[in-house]
Amino acid sequence: MADYDVIVIGAGCGGVSSAAILAHQGRKVLLLEQSANMGGCCSTFEKDGYHFDVGASVVEEIQPLEIAFEMLGTRFQDEVELIPCDPMMSFIYYDGSRVTYPISIEETGRVISEMSPEDGQAWFRFAKYFGGMTETIMKGFLVSPATGIADMMRLLVKTPELMKYAPLFVMSYQDVIKKYFKSEAVQRTMSYQSLYLGLPPELVAGLFALLPYSEHEGIWYPRGGMIQIPAAFVRCGEKAGLEVRSRARVVQVVVRRGRVEGVVLEDGSEITAPVVVSNINAKTLYLDLIGEANLPWLARVGMKSYEYSKSVPMVYVGLDYEPPLEAHHSAIAVSPGEMSDYWYNNAMKGVLPDREFGLICWPTKSDPGLAPEGHHVLNLIPEGFYELAGTDWDEQKEPFLERTIEYLSSFAIPGLADHVVVKDCATPLDFERRLLLPKGAIYDLQQDIVSQTVFRPSARSRSVKGLYLVGNSTHPGGGVPTTTASGVIAATLINRYER
Ligand SMILES: Cc1cc2nc3c(=O)[nH]c(=O)nc-3n(C[C@H](O)[C@H](O)[C@H](O)COP(=O)(O)OP(=O)(O)OC[C@H]3O[C@@H](n4cnc5c(N)ncnc54)[C@H](O)[C@@H]3O)c2cc1C
């Protein structure tokens, strides 16, 4: 008799959603998290009265979250208070000027027309095309398994409209943006989102050019910080009997005769279960926790072939003034060419750029309760990478933190450096140590086109029976809604195959 029906390793969004759903469906579930906190990259911490989000800063495309909470017999909006973020994004150019896009498609068209009438017209064609695509994707793609060719065929039968978008698989994100928008100033406002995939626009598949459109479908911030989402899953799961243990690091997944039998914790104790759900990096899972000896050669080779995804440093600042920004999210307006240049000459060579760019998140614009009255919080996400030539992040952490504050003060957030009351920084090395993300990889594995859907590690393991994957490492990849979708998929598959 096993100790539990299911053991879930890791309390990221994929882990907490799958654990809660499986508990709600009547299984005896144990959730093991190595850190003291729930949520992994979707979490919030407090420092001197200021609340900072660890990584994720908003949610978009919330349908998978709505589906997951429906499966728990409740509503996402009843469990988490969602604050709409409008404007969608403010873009800050290197000369300090800015362009701000509202959520409204119409209003955005007007703003773009002021920069380029031709591109203003193109915006409406772009929005119409990708509006249809978003609907199609939400209808079937995100919460459907992609464990093999049969799943993909089922998906195509369910959503034949997907075929209409086939050309986007042979175009790059950059091709699509340049096809629609001719003004360089406008292209700069459409390019940043390719970094959500961790790559510059020329290396991202064309279908992801939907991102600058899809953000107009709505952006939300949970009151109280991003932690509220995983906390709601844990709360619902616990009501159904879910058992949660924090500070419980799994060091081995026990596999005998090709089937999981449980896990071993750092203190040497073994806990048994016929089903294990992994929310950790798939390479760590297969190559370290299961071990190469327990894998067929093809699985060993396949797993080693995956590249790690990008990593980022984060700078957290508490301020005693209201920063001169216009939206919850602002991005430095970089051109596709500058992003490629950064990729080849900085990221690939380990050389930090002179001119940083990235995302500025201003959560107290949406939820003032995250800081003392009249004070504010900014979470800054400059682009970065794990390997630094001739140095490392421990050495660079303090200078990087100071440089980022000075640099953003110089054109993007005037006055910033004079108003910092609290500051902190999480480097890629910190992400690796705190959340056990190898190489600080925030999406676990690269998200290029050859590592998506059936090419990503399967949600139902092909080499170990009883083993299921959730989170960044499996379909549909990184993001709060998408990793929650993976939790829904795993629960669906476990119900299908593990009676
Ligand atoms: C800087 C940054 C900004 C982002 N912005 C956004 C955004 O705005 N919107 C959005 O939707 N997404 C965003 N994302 C992505 C999103 O946060 C992640 O894709 C998502 O939260 C990952 O969820 P996951 O289920 O893969 O688990 P993870 O968050 O990777 O968590 C895995 C958990 O497993 C635990 N663990 C690891 N190893 C073990 C072990 N051996 N034993 C026990 N526990 C273990 C870890 O401690 C961790 O808690 C951002 C990410 C980052 C880093």
Side-chain angles (χ1 to χ4, degrees), residues 37 43-57 221-228 314-319 328 361-373 375-380 421-424:
N37 306 312
S43 194
T44 308
F45 69 95
E46 192 261 352
K47 187 171 179 177
D48 301 336
Y50 297 83
H51 295 80
F52 301 101
D53 292 317
V54 169
S57 53
Y221 186 74
R223 188 176 299 284
M226 294 300 291
I227 179 95
Q228 299 304 329
M314 274 197 69
V315 170
Y316 312 98
V317 285
L319 309 172
H328 185 110
C361 311
W362 180 19
T364 37
K365 169 153 177 55
S366 306
D367 181 3
L370 297 171
E373 207 177 334
H375 287 223
H376 284 270
V377 160
L378 291 182
N379 302 319
L380 312 171
V421 191
V422 171
K423 56 189 169 186
D424 205 345

Side-chain angles (χ1 to χ4, degrees), residues 13-14 17 42 56 58-66 68 76 138 142-143 226 229 233 476-488:
C13 292
S17 54
C42 179
V58 291
V59 272
E60 304 163 9
E61 304 298 356
I62 56 173
Q63 290 87 338
L65 287 145
E66 292 175 330
F76 181 33
M138 289 306 147
L142 283 188
V143 287
M226 294 300 291
I229 295 175
F233 277 121
V480 170
T482 37
T483 50
T484 302
S486 76
V488 170

Side-chain angles (χ1 to χ4, degrees), residues 10 12-14 33-34 40-41 55-58 250 279-280 442 471-472 479-480:
C13 292
E33 165 58 44
Q34 61 85 28
C41 293
S57 53
V58 291
V250 174
N279 187 202
I280 69 172
I442 67 168
N472 286 320
V480 170

Side-chain angles (χ1 to χ4, degrees), residues 305-446:
S305 72
Y306 285 107
E307 299 278 343
Y308 289 111
S309 79
K310 79 165 187 178
S311 55
V312 291
M314 274 197 69
V315 170
Y316 312 98
V317 285
L319 309 172
D320 65 2
Y321 85 141
E322 181 172 324
L325 294 165
E326 290 174 10
H328 185 110
H329 269 173
S330 300
I332 308 300
V334 270
S335 68
E338 282 168 345
M339 287 163 75
S340 296
D341 185 51
Y342 160 84
W343 180 254
Y344 294 113
N345 291 316
N346 297 105
M348 305 290 277
K349 293 181 182 167
V351 179
L352 288 169
D354 294 331
R355 290 210 304 187
E356 283 171 15
F357 60 93
L359 199 62
I360 298 165
C361 311
W362 180 19
T364 37
K365 169 153 177 55
S366 306
D367 181 3
L370 297 171
E373 207 177 334
H375 287 223
H376 284 270
V377 160
L378 291 182
N379 302 319
L380 312 171
I381 317 181
E383 282 307 299
F385 30 85
Y386 181 79
E387 309 276 359
L388 297 180
T391 178
D392 67 29
W393 275 108
D394 285 341
E395 205 169 68
Q396 291 303 317
K397 181 170 174 159
E398 284 306 313
F400 181 81
L401 168 60
E402 296 304 334
R403 209 170 51 238
T404 300
I405 292 171
E406 284 298 329
Y407 173 73
L408 290 176
S409 296
S410 71
F411 74 104
I413 318 174
L416 175 67
D418 301 327
H419 291 278
V420 173
V421 191
V422 171
K423 56 189 169 186
D424 205 345
C425 181
T427 70
L429 269 179
D430 293 323
F431 277 106
E432 184 173 60
R433 291 171 187 144
R434 292 173 191 168
L435 295 177
L436 305 186
L437 302 180
K439 298 203 181 284
I442 67 168
Y443 302 131
D444 288 355
L445 309 174
Q446 193 64 283

Side-chain angles (χ1 to χ4, degrees), residues 131-396:
M133 184 184 177
T134 310
E135 209 172 287
T136 305
I137 287 179
M138 289 306 147
K139 201 164 112 191
F141 185 66
L142 283 188
V143 287
S144 300
T147 56
I149 296 301
D151 281 340
M152 293 312 284
M153 295 311 290
R154 263 195 293 269
L155 188 60
L156 281 178
V157 170
K158 203 163 105 189
T159 45
E161 309 92 294
L162 269 178
M163 286 313 290
K164 195 173 122 194
Y165 302 99
L168 294 175
F169 285 89
V170 291
M171 292 172 85
S172 72
Y173 181 120
Q174 175 169 297
D175 294 336
V176 177
I177 295 302
K178 289 193 169 175
K179 179 178 150 208
Y180 280 93
F181 305 106
K182 305 300 171 206
S183 146
E184 217 236 3
V186 176
Q187 287 173 4
R188 282 174 184 266
T189 64
M190 300 289 167
S191 302
Y192 178 75
Q193 286 91 340
S194 89
L195 291 175
Y196 294 174
L197 276 296
L199 293 164
E202 73 166 298
L203 299 180
V204 170
L207 75 147
F208 292 106
L210 103 160
L211 288 169
Y213 160 75
S214 66
E215 298 208 293
H216 289 269
E217 297 223 324
I219 302 181
W220 290 271
Y221 186 74
R223 188 176 299 284
M226 294 300 291
I227 179 95
Q228 299 304 329
I229 295 175
F233 277 121
V234 169
R235 194 171 59 238
C236 293
E238 284 180 332
K239 275 189 208 154
L242 169 67
E243 202 179 310
V244 182
R245 278 192 227 166
S246 54
R247 296 195 170 91
R249 178 173 175 173
V250 174
V251 293
Q252 189 193 341
V253 173
V254 181
V255 176
R256 293 195 183 99
R257 293 171 297 281
R259 186 162 186 112
V260 285
E261 292 194 354
V263 301
V264 177
L265 300 184
E266 210 167 18
D267 64 8
S269 56
E270 184 171 338
I271 311 172
T272 57
V275 176
V276 170
V277 176
S278 167
N279 187 202
I280 69 172
N281 188 297
K283 284 181 89 149
T284 309
L285 168 73
Y286 279 108
L287 301 177
D288 300 340
L289 268 57
I290 291 174
E292 294 189 36
N294 286 309
L295 299 176
W297 73 269
L298 196 56
R300 281 200 301 268
V301 173
M303 204 45 62
K304 285 180 184 174
S305 72
Y306 285 107
E307 299 278 343
Y308 289 111
S309 79
K310 79 165 187 178
S311 55
V312 291
M314 274 197 69
V315 170
Y316 312 98
V317 285
L319 309 172
D320 65 2
Y321 85 141
E322 181 172 324
L325 294 165
E326 290 174 10
H328 185 110
H329 269 173
S330 300
I332 308 300
V334 270
S335 68
E338 282 168 345
M339 287 163 75
S340 296
D341 185 51
Y342 160 84
W343 180 254
Y344 294 113
N345 291 316
N346 297 105
M348 305 290 277
K349 293 181 182 167
V351 179
L352 288 169
D354 294 331
R355 290 210 304 187
E356 283 171 15
F357 60 93
L359 199 62
I360 298 165
C361 311
W362 180 19
T364 37
K365 169 153 177 55
S366 306
D367 181 3
L370 297 171
E373 207 177 334
H375 287 223
H376 284 270
V377 160
L378 291 182
N379 302 319
L380 312 171
I381 317 181
E383 282 307 299
F385 30 85
Y386 181 79
E387 309 276 359
L388 297 180
T391 178
D392 67 29
W393 275 108
D394 285 341
E395 205 169 68
Q396 291 303 317

Side-chain angles (χ1 to χ4, degrees), residues 85-122:
C85 302
D86 193 358
M88 183 279 272
M89 176 104 71
S90 183
F91 297 92
I92 306 177
Y93 294 79
Y94 285 117
D95 65 2
S97 62
R98 50 199 75 198
V99 164
T100 299
Y101 290 167
I103 288 286
S104 154
I105 303 280
E106 290 292 320
E107 291 294 322
T108 300
R110 248 170 255 146
V111 177
I112 296 176
S113 294
E114 280 169 22
M115 290 190 277
S116 157
E118 186 193 3
D119 285 359
Q121 290 306 311

